[in-house]
Amino acid sequence: MKTIEAIIAERAGAWLKLDGVVGIYEGIAADGAPVIRVAVTKETPALAARISTEAGGYRVEVVVTGPIEPM
Amino acid sequence: MKQLRRSTLLLLLALSLAAMFWACSEDPSNVASPEPENDLLAAVQAHQEEFEQAIAIHNRAVPGILSTKGIVGTAVGADDNGMPVIRIYTSGPIAKGPLPQDVGGLPIVIEETGEIKAYKGPGGGGGGGSSGQAPQSPPVKMGTSGGWRFDLANGFCCGGTLGSLVQKGGTKYVLSNYHVLYADIVNGGNSRTAQPGDPVIQPGLIDVQCNANNSLNIASLVANGGTLPDPGNPDAVDAAIASVTSGMVDETGAILNVGTISASTRSATVGLAVKKMGRTTGLTRSTISGINGAFSIQYENECAGGASFVQSYSGQIVISNRRCNFQNGGDSGSLLVEDVTTNPRAVGLCFAGSVTCNNSAIAIANPIGDVLSKLGATMVGQ
């Protein structure tokens, strides 16, 4: 199984092209398992259909962070 | 869904505010009937997307708007057709000169409300300790308001945080972000671009009513001092350095409310307790919620300017920023350090974050190792 970092590196480019996706990062779920988090501006059916719930053996969670900008 | 609720709440606030002003008027002819208000609400609800964009633009513009003398407040409101406008509230009549024609393409509506006073509440500004916005006497400590002396364009002034000190070749530099110190790359609204030798000031223009004469020159821009744009580089960072002016900066590298830091650094891990001292939210604490982050960030070409370029990042640090309590606009340039009392080690350079301040808001920092590697520098510390 590839590292979660490698999976993020593989998938980030494609996911960031999806309208509404602003970032992808590695986190830890409440149960302690490593997860891939996909940061989105808002949850939409279109995004839900395009983002898988699993990638490379790792769980994928969608997080509604809103737009990301320089602060 | 959370954004939708926030938009609706803001809309209702705007409508309530409008209603309040009508109700406060002594002229009964100004009291609107309920029917047009219901029509307006329906019209606004039909333009939800536009309002979400307007809120993001407004959040970015608020510090600049409020820095203009005579302006006491601002909000996103609606015009008669239910489209978003930026409302600016003034203490009295104000000359058109200092006011922008629009904010990010959104029309501006000026309302003379008089002074607005708090009824009762806690002291404002930051998470405690010395204010990051206050003018300092030299030698200036880091973690403070600052920016490029001429960062004023399009009716706004801009600024951020002078976060820490680094050194290379025996010379000490203020470390902040490219977009705080070097991002003016078009003549545009102020007929100049950021150039080597230009002064860096404390506090930044946003804390001195856009008047640089009320600030100190503490450092100078240098050639190749900014690290962006950096197309195609997976290790890109939003960093900038300015050479310290002798006697103007505390050369121990001490940060307000943090003290001296370690000269060594550490890498980020999920769950690590961190803190930062920034111009807007002051000394705040949080935890790292993510690593190896990939983001694409849009930059402007000057203060309140147009779109410039999109920079892709990888390997970024993600910090929990619930309701933007950890970091907000103006905190860019803050040094992210481990949350220990004595000589904390640097972890990252804060530069971006959510503009929607919900419970899932995040802040983003460049890994400090990437920053120092790009600059060929080391931290100034113990």
Side-chain angles (χ1 to χ4, degrees):
Chain A
M1 189 161 137
K2 291 182 178 175
T3 64
I4 195 166
E5 184 179 0
I7 298 297
I8 290 173
E10 281 178 11
R11 307 286 179 100
W15 278 343
L16 283 171
K17 287 178 182 165
L18 298 176
D19 190 26
V21 173
V22 294
I24 298 102
Y25 58 96
E26 172 188 345
I28 294 179
D31 62 5
V35 294
I36 296 172
R37 294 210 164 102
V38 181
V40 302
T41 54
K42 62 179 179 181
E43 287 179 306
T44 66
L47 272 182
R50 302 287 299 275
I51 300 172
S52 57
T53 56
E54 182 272 344
Y58 299 96
R59 209 180 330 163
V60 176
E61 294 180 353
V62 172
V63 184
V64 183
T65 61
I68 305 290
E69 293 184 2
M71 305 291 304
Chain B
M1 186 66 80
K2 286 173 183 170
Q3 278 189 324
L4 186 69
R5 285 204 300 273
R6 185 168 183 276
S7 302
T8 305
L9 177 63
L10 231 156
L11 164 65
L12 291 174
L13 281 171
L15 290 174
S16 301
L17 196 59
M20 180 186 79
F21 290 133
W22 286 328
C24 288
S25 169
E26 292 181 18
D27 180 355
S29 66
N30 280 345
V31 178
S33 67
E35 282 182 17
E37 200 167 306
N38 287 340
D39 289 346
L40 180 58
L41 186 57
V44 166
Q45 285 173 337
H47 297 110
Q48 199 68 50
E49 287 283 336
E50 287 87 347
F51 271 90
E52 287 173 7
Q53 292 171 7
I55 289 165
I57 292 169
H58 183 251
N59 283 344
R60 208 167 53 230
V62 164
I65 294 173
L66 293 181
S67 66
T68 302
K69 191 174 182 182
I71 292 179
V72 296
T74 177
V76 176
D79 65 14
D80 292 342
N81 299 315
M83 292 298 287
V85 299
I86 301 297
R87 294 191 185 280
I88 292 179
Y89 308 112
T90 67
S91 57
I94 189 166
K96 271 197 165 181
L99 298 173
Q101 297 294 312
D102 63 72
V103 175
L106 294 165
I108 285 177
V109 177
I110 308 294
E111 296 184 26
E112 189 181 325
T113 60
E115 294 289 347
I116 296 174
K117 294 180 180 175
Y119 291 116
K120 179 89 176 168
S130 302
S131 167
Q133 298 170 24
Q136 295 186 48
S137 298
V140 167
K141 287 184 167 57
M142 295 291 96
T144 188
S145 169
W148 177 49
R149 185 179 177 91
F150 308 113
D151 206 358
L152 193 157
N154 307 307
F156 293 90
C157 60
C158 291
T161 296
L162 309 177
S164 58
L165 288 191
V166 296
Q167 61 187 351
K168 56 181 203 172
T171 302
K172 290 179 178 168
Y173 299 85
V174 171
L175 174 64
S176 185
N177 293 132
Y178 157 84
H179 78 267
V180 172
L181 298 183
Y182 289 86
D184 193 323
I185 55 175
V186 295
N187 285 329
N190 57 1
S191 302
R192 67 188 308 155
T193 59
Q195 295 294 327
D198 285 350
V200 169
I201 56 173
Q202 192 285 324
L205 289 174
I206 50 177
D207 293 311
V208 288
Q209 294 80 46
C210 303
N211 183 355
N213 292 329
N214 296 324
S215 295
L216 294 173
N217 293 341
I218 66 158
S220 301
L221 301 187
V222 295
N224 302 313
T227 61
L228 294 181
D230 196 358
N233 182 0
D235 298 322
V237 292
D238 183 348
I241 53 173
S243 62
V244 167
T245 301
S246 179
M248 299 304 288
V249 174
D250 182 339
E251 296 197 20
T252 66
I255 298 172
L256 283 172
N257 301 320
V258 171
T260 54
I261 64 170
S262 172
S264 60
T265 63
R266 65 156 295 164
S267 57
T269 54
V270 176
L272 179 69
V274 289
K275 60 185 177 182
K276 74 96 194 62
M277 175 64 199
R279 173 261 168 203
T280 304
T281 57
L283 177 65
T284 55
R285 293 177 161 84
S286 186
T287 55
I288 290 176
S289 62
I291 55 175
N292 295 320
F295 295 89
S296 292
I297 308 287
Q298 172 77 59
Y299 286 84
E300 293 184 336
N301 55 14
E302 64 179 348
C303 182
S308 181
F309 60 91
V310 174
Q311 180 66 51
S312 295
Y313 294 95
S314 61
Q316 300 303 294
I317 302 166
V318 180
I319 308 112
S320 298
N321 193 25
R322 183 182 162 92
R323 300 209 169 279
C324 302
N325 287 328
F326 176 71
Q327 176 184 296
N328 213 329
D331 284 330
S332 271
S334 304
L335 187 72
L336 185 74
V337 300
E338 59 184 341
D339 189 8
V340 299
T341 304
T342 306
N343 295 331
R345 288 172 292 178
V347 178
L349 176 62
C350 299
F351 77 104
S354 301
V355 293
T356 306
C357 294
N358 61 25
N359 288 336
S360 301
I362 58 175
I364 307 171
N366 300 137
I368 196 65
D370 289 350
V371 172
L372 296 175
S373 175
K374 181 74 180 181
L375 296 170
T378 57
M379 299 306 304
V380 171
Q382 306 297 308

